Amino acid sequence: SIDDPSSTGHEQVVFCQDTQTGLRAIIGIYSTALGPALGGTRFYPYASEEAALADVLDLSRGMAYKNALAGLDLGGGKAVIWGDPDQLKSEPLLRAYGRFVESLNGRYYTACDVGTYVADMDVIARETRYVTGRSVEHGGAGDSSVLTAWGVFQGMRAAAEHVWGAPTLNGRRVGVAGLGKVGKHLTRHLLDDHAEVVATDVDPRAREWVRANHPQVELVDAAALVAADIDVYAPCALGGALDDDTVPALRAKVVAGAANNQLAHPGIEKLLADRGILYAPDYVVNAGGVIQVADEIEGFNFERAKLRATRIYDTTRQILRLADDEGVPPAVAADRLAERRMAEVGRLRTIH
Ligand code: NAI
Ligand code: K
């Protein structure tokens, strides 16, 4: 619990304040067992400092697991800036924040998250080397949704192979919920693989984009998509897509999508398993984004990053087999695999 920070297993939690700019930030480093901690900066008007702390502890731990399974030599961290970005965000504040990141000497690398953008990373980069997610003009990886969608497609292929025997969506009906940055790229990969795509988006501009670019895609409303006669359901909008209402309505045999935190609450993974629905864990299949930005640390090379994101196919396959072998839901198997990698590599590190 937060009452006893030593109980959460984090290596380091840094509280940052700059009274001149109004900056209040918390940087959470869960683990550096695999390498420097990487994770984005969330700029959000938390109700209290406790709420900000709870979020950063939770998110930094999640990044350790995500980075471990992505095969990156990076640990897990995350930062939150407490306040309303519309009112508070300024160059001096971001630079003050960048100096705090620099002061950690590379134990933490930041990136974009909710409320922060590529342009903000360029500003932060004026104060620190330890920043990813910068613009292409500044040596950055650019729009991370490109490899996020590629990775989701790879994870979906692994799930399809597990259920139907072949690593392809050829001839399957796939429901894409959310035609944003990721959903659009994913739709393209699915159509290239000869899948039938049914999709939904609340934004009329996104629907218009589909009509104009991919007229073969069937558009339905969100509730209809959940209950549609589809083989695969791909949540690509907001978190919490899988809950006590949607899971019982699903007819799909596979769930694999980009959205973060798809399970609305603990226990949903069991509900999915009981219904015979294979859930490819969100943080495993959506790791292409962090793979893309992490590549900046080596000097961005798209082909190298794409190769790494392609391996999400192998990792998902391994997790689904482990889940079968150990008789647990895939989400539990994923956590176990991540913990093993952190423990093994972390142990090696202490030798020298
Ligand atoms: P986005 O904001 O570009 O797209 C989200 C789309 O979902 C929008 O078109 C929006 O209109 C639509 N939407 C919102 N509520 C909806 C609803 N109830 N029903 C149907 N559509 C709805 O976001 P982006 O970048 O495409 O990300 C999608 C998801 O993937 C998010 O959960 C994000 O956290 C996650 N993700 C994204 C990564 C990236 O690199 N962009 C990396 C890892 C995860
Ligand atoms: K996360």
Side-chain angles (χ1 to χ4, degrees):
S1 81
I2 319 170
D3 299 334
D4 177 13
S6 64
S7 71
T8 63
H10 290 71
E11 280 180 22
Q12 191 176 11
V13 180
V14 184
F15 289 78
C16 315
Q17 176 165 253
D18 182 69
T19 49
Q20 274 194 10
T21 60
L23 171 74
R24 281 179 302 181
I26 311 174
I27 301 171
I29 297 177
Y30 180 75
S31 167
T32 56
L34 298 180
L38 169 68
T41 300
R42 185 164 292 193
F43 203 142
Y44 190 76
Y46 293 100
S48 64
E49 190 174 48
E50 282 75 43
L53 177 60
D55 209 28
V56 79
L57 292 178
D58 201 39
L59 293 166
S60 55
R61 182 171 183 277
M63 286 309 298
Y65 282 72
K66 185 174 195 163
N67 293 342
L69 287 182
L72 296 168
D73 294 328
L74 292 167
K78 198 93 179 185
V80 295
I81 298 177
W82 175 19
D84 181 352
D86 290 337
Q87 288 171 21
L88 206 59
K89 198 189 282 176
S90 65
E91 183 189 336
L93 178 141
L94 291 172
R95 294 183 72 147
Y97 172 66
R99 290 192 293 274
F100 278 112
V101 172
E102 179 68 18
S103 75
L104 292 171
N105 275 316
R107 285 178 48 74
Y108 168 68
Y109 276 83
T110 198
C112 299
D113 193 62
V114 175
T116 57
Y117 302 89
V118 166
D120 299 328
M121 295 306 122
D122 285 344
V123 174
I124 290 169
R126 295 168 74 172
E127 300 286 350
T128 181
R129 289 155 283 173
Y130 308 118
V131 50
T132 68
R134 289 163 298 157
S135 63
V136 175
E137 305 87 86
H138 286 85
D143 178 8
S144 64
S145 62
V146 174
L147 289 185
T148 300
W150 179 246
V152 169
F153 176 60
Q154 298 306 322
M156 200 184 282
R157 288 177 57 235
E161 180 178 32
H162 200 80
V163 174
W164 297 296
T168 172
L169 281 305
N170 186 348
R172 302 283 160 204
R173 263 168 82 78
V174 182
V176 178
L179 294 162
K181 294 187 290 292
V182 179
K184 282 174 183 161
H185 293 299
L186 179 62
T187 296
R188 241 182 257 124
H189 298 314
L190 290 168
L191 294 172
D192 287 347
D193 197 26
H194 308 289
E196 269 178 66
V197 178
V198 193
T200 188
D201 199 296
V202 289
D203 186 341
R205 285 165 304 179
R207 297 198 297 270
E208 199 39 57
W209 178 88
V210 168
R211 279 193 205 99
N213 292 279
H214 305 293
Q216 69 272 49
V217 171
E218 188 186 332
L219 286 165
V220 297
D221 69 44
L225 184 66
V226 170
D229 183 14
I230 49 177
D231 299 302
V232 180
Y233 181 58
C236 295
L238 310 175
L242 303 169
D243 62 22
D244 294 301
D245 296 324
T246 52
V247 173
L250 270 179
R251 290 163 72 186
K253 281 274 164 254
V254 167
V255 176
N260 277 311
N261 306 323
Q262 288 171 34
L263 305 173
H265 60 79
I268 294 285
E269 71 285 351
K270 173 112 187 354
L271 191 60
L272 285 158
D274 290 347
R275 291 215 57 224
I277 300 168
L278 186 78
Y279 169 65
D282 47 15
Y283 79 84
V284 177
V285 302
N286 74 12
V290 74
I291 289 172
Q292 184 165 339
V293 300
D295 199 80
E296 275 178 43
I297 297 171
E298 294 175 69
F300 185 58
N301 177 310
F302 182 79
E303 287 310 319
R304 178 177 60 204
K306 184 174 178 185
L307 207 64
R308 238 177 223 150
T310 305
R311 290 194 202 116
I312 290 174
Y313 164 76
D314 303 283
T315 309
T316 307
R317 215 169 161 219
Q318 196 184 352
I319 286 163
L320 297 177
R321 287 183 182 171
L322 185 67
D324 281 355
D325 291 348
E326 302 196 351
V328 294
V332 175
D335 287 352
R336 286 184 186 173
L337 197 65
E339 281 158 12
R340 277 174 211 170
R341 180 157 191 257
M342 283 188 268
E344 281 161 14
V345 180
R347 213 178 298 131
L348 276 175
R349 180 168 290 251
T350 61
I351 292 169
H352 50 83

